[in-house]
Amino acid sequence: MRATQVPYFTEKEDPKDAIVTSHRLLTRAGFIRKQAAGLYVFLPFAQRVLRKIEAIIREEMDAAGGVEVQMPVITPAELWEQSGRYSIMGPEMMRMRDRHDAPFVLGPTHEESVTWLAQTVLKSYKQLPLTFYQIGTKYRDEIRPRYGLIRCREFVMKDAYSFHMDRNSLNEVYEKMRIAYRNIFSRCGLDTIPVEADSGNMGGSGSEEFMVASEIGEETLLLCSDSACGYRSNQEKTPFVPSIAYGSGEDGEAERVITPNVRTVEEVAAFLKTDVRNFIKTVILENEEEIVVAFLPGDREASVVKIKNAAKSGDLDMASPEAIEAITGAAPGFAGPHLLRTPPPQENPQKIKFQQAKAIAASEGIRYAEKKLFFLYDVNLKNRSGLVSGGNQTDTHFVHLKEGRDFVMLPENTADLVAASEGDLCPKCGKPLHATKGIEVGHIFKLGKKYSEAMKVEVLGEDGRPHVPEMGTYGIGVGRTMATAVEQNYDSHGIIWPVAITPFEYVLISLAKKGDEIAKVDDLYEQMKAAGKDVYYDDRNERPGVKFMDAELAGFPWIVIAGKSYFENGILEFKERRTGEKSEISKDALLTR
């Protein structure tokens, strides 16, 4: 490919909104252009990288038994209603109506579509196991698209879906996919960390993320300090095992105390001269249908994912001040489990409607009284006494609270609600955990029968009876893989592409000035192509310095310079981009390299 045919589209300045290296370098090196927030044009170099990543994915997916298909980006809303996800998916899923007023979804993922497909093509156990996969466009209306291709609204993804007669078959294919994913990322030059993960809105019994360690990662990974143990998990999934067991504080009868002008756990602890570990922290979350009130140790942060899973709720956000006041009768910061305005949790720990809506005077309170309420307690509050919590009145707190007397924890509303962190103990071996940041590039799930049951997929078994198949799903962000490769491979001069996914392996830079020199380099370019070299020929009428800077910025692994030595004695200058090592090489040696 000649530069005069497919030019560089380099920029001298970083984009103003670029926070991360990949966004900055992919823009400056002429790979992408931002059209709107979270929407990018992929220029010719980027297209070549994507195609190489896709080729690696196809090879590994085909080897693992995948069958490629292509499903529509826009899917009927009725499929999502059948699965039950239409109402629980958040605003990230874009909904629309066509000219006939029929509702559709701009697909953020394709579990519903592929399950519909399975209904139409799967009839017998003889067809299973079967894995469909596709490489195509997805859309998620991110509230804050950022980091360039790492978190955007429209993106290219490989998604695969497997169908099985039983759990053993699912487990076998799941293991094949784990191996395939390791091969894919290794071949793309990425060093990944597979970690246990939460299944989120996908559902299912288990999942694993493939993470790339990065300071800009939005995920926190917790890894066991004992390499022989090998435990690795996403923070949102990691069970909380405290390094120091929780005890009880000063015992006594529950008492309300005045705590003026203090609100946070740390402020109240200083005011009452007590330990934050003896506090009950209250976290109140809500969505359109329900409010979840979670109680946990005061020295720890809540895991919203764990709370959502324990409450079996859809997406949850921090509750509004109006919701908090409607529940507690107090300003935010003074909630606790003892003497809530609403019925105490021991009377009915399940989802209930407020029974005292009439006691809430404000119209906003009446609105919140129509929502369902769910109480949750962290396991580390069980059997403890001498605890401190908000007093459910502004500027007050309760002291000397005792579980079982002042609040009651039952099995159905007790769970691990704490976000584990560095220094906590490994749930597998008990050694300390250490934390690192990571970018998710792949995710695999065991879905079980979540979608196949909801959408009534059946195949005839060997026994002649209908069976609901087990399912798995497996995703890779193709554009994110490209961006993450840059995050792991760059220097002060620009990108350093792994050879397998570089847009071109070689860049041939011509320093020719006269007609016979130009002809000689043209001939070298044709011979390199004939020898099977993946080469980009910089035949522009530009200064040498510009050509050298562009070649390093674009990140081609090997730079071949045809200059004075080549025209006089046939010797080329050869530079390895990653190491910066320079050498001289003959044309024959280059062509047979």
Side-chain angles (χ1 to χ4, degrees), residues 292-453:
V292 179
V293 184
F295 305 106
L296 60 147
D299 64 325
R300 302 304 304 228
E301 295 299 318
S303 167
V304 175
V305 169
K306 290 181 179 179
I307 292 172
K308 183 182 72 172
N309 290 343
K312 296 180 174 59
S313 299
D315 290 336
L316 292 168
D317 295 314
M318 298 304 297
S320 66
E322 293 84 1
I324 294 172
E325 187 170 359
I327 296 167
T328 67
F334 298 99
H338 185 49
L339 299 184
L340 273 175
R341 168 181 287 180
T342 53
Q346 59 266 35
E347 291 184 9
N348 188 346
Q350 302 304 313
K351 295 181 181 180
I352 59 174
K353 285 195 173 183
F354 292 111
Q355 301 297 311
Q356 298 181 353
K358 293 181 180 178
I360 305 171
S363 60
E364 280 296 297
I366 299 297
R367 180 169 72 85
Y368 284 109
E370 295 303 316
K371 290 191 175 185
K372 295 178 181 178
L373 180 64
F374 196 23
F375 293 95
L376 288 173
Y377 295 85
D378 183 76
V379 293
N380 291 286
L381 298 176
K382 188 68 176 174
N383 298 323
R384 294 179 62 193
S385 59
L387 301 176
V388 179
S389 80
N392 297 312
Q393 288 182 11
T394 302
D395 291 336
T396 72
H397 281 77
F398 282 114
V399 296
H400 309 315
L401 295 181
K402 182 177 182 179
E403 192 273 318
R405 180 190 68 191
D406 304 308
F407 62 96
V408 176
M409 297 168 59
L410 300 175
E412 54 264 47
N413 65 351
T414 301
D416 172 14
L417 307 179
V418 169
S421 60
E422 187 166 72
D424 294 334
L425 301 184
C426 172
K428 184 177 178 181
C429 75
K431 298 291 178 62
L433 296 170
H434 71 267
T436 187
K437 291 291 186 180
I439 301 170
E440 178 190 336
V441 289
H443 203 157
I444 60 178
F445 302 82
K446 294 179 183 179
L447 295 176
K449 298 180 180 180
K450 174 183 170 70
Y451 297 92
S452 50
E453 280 187 341

Side-chain angles (χ1 to χ4, degrees), residues 562-575:
K564 183 178 180 181
S565 294
Y566 181 62
F567 304 133
E568 292 180 352
N569 53 37
I571 298 299
L572 298 155
E573 183 178 337
F574 186 86
K575 180 177 180 179

Side-chain angles (χ1 to χ4, degrees), residues 11 13-40 145-152 216 482-484 486-487 490 495:
E11 296 283 342
E13 303 295 331
D14 293 337
K16 293 181 180 179
D17 61 339
I19 301 173
V20 300
T21 298
S22 58
H23 185 193
R24 177 174 62 84
L25 290 180
L26 286 171
T27 301
R28 283 195 55 213
F31 285 72
I32 61 173
R33 284 291 181 273
K34 177 182 172 182
Q35 191 168 77
L39 303 175
Y40 290 87
R146 54 180 176 167
Y147 298 162
L149 300 183
I150 292 175
R151 181 173 287 277
C152 48
I216 66 153
M482 177 171 75
T484 307
V486 176
E487 293 291 336
Y490 71 93
I495 303 168

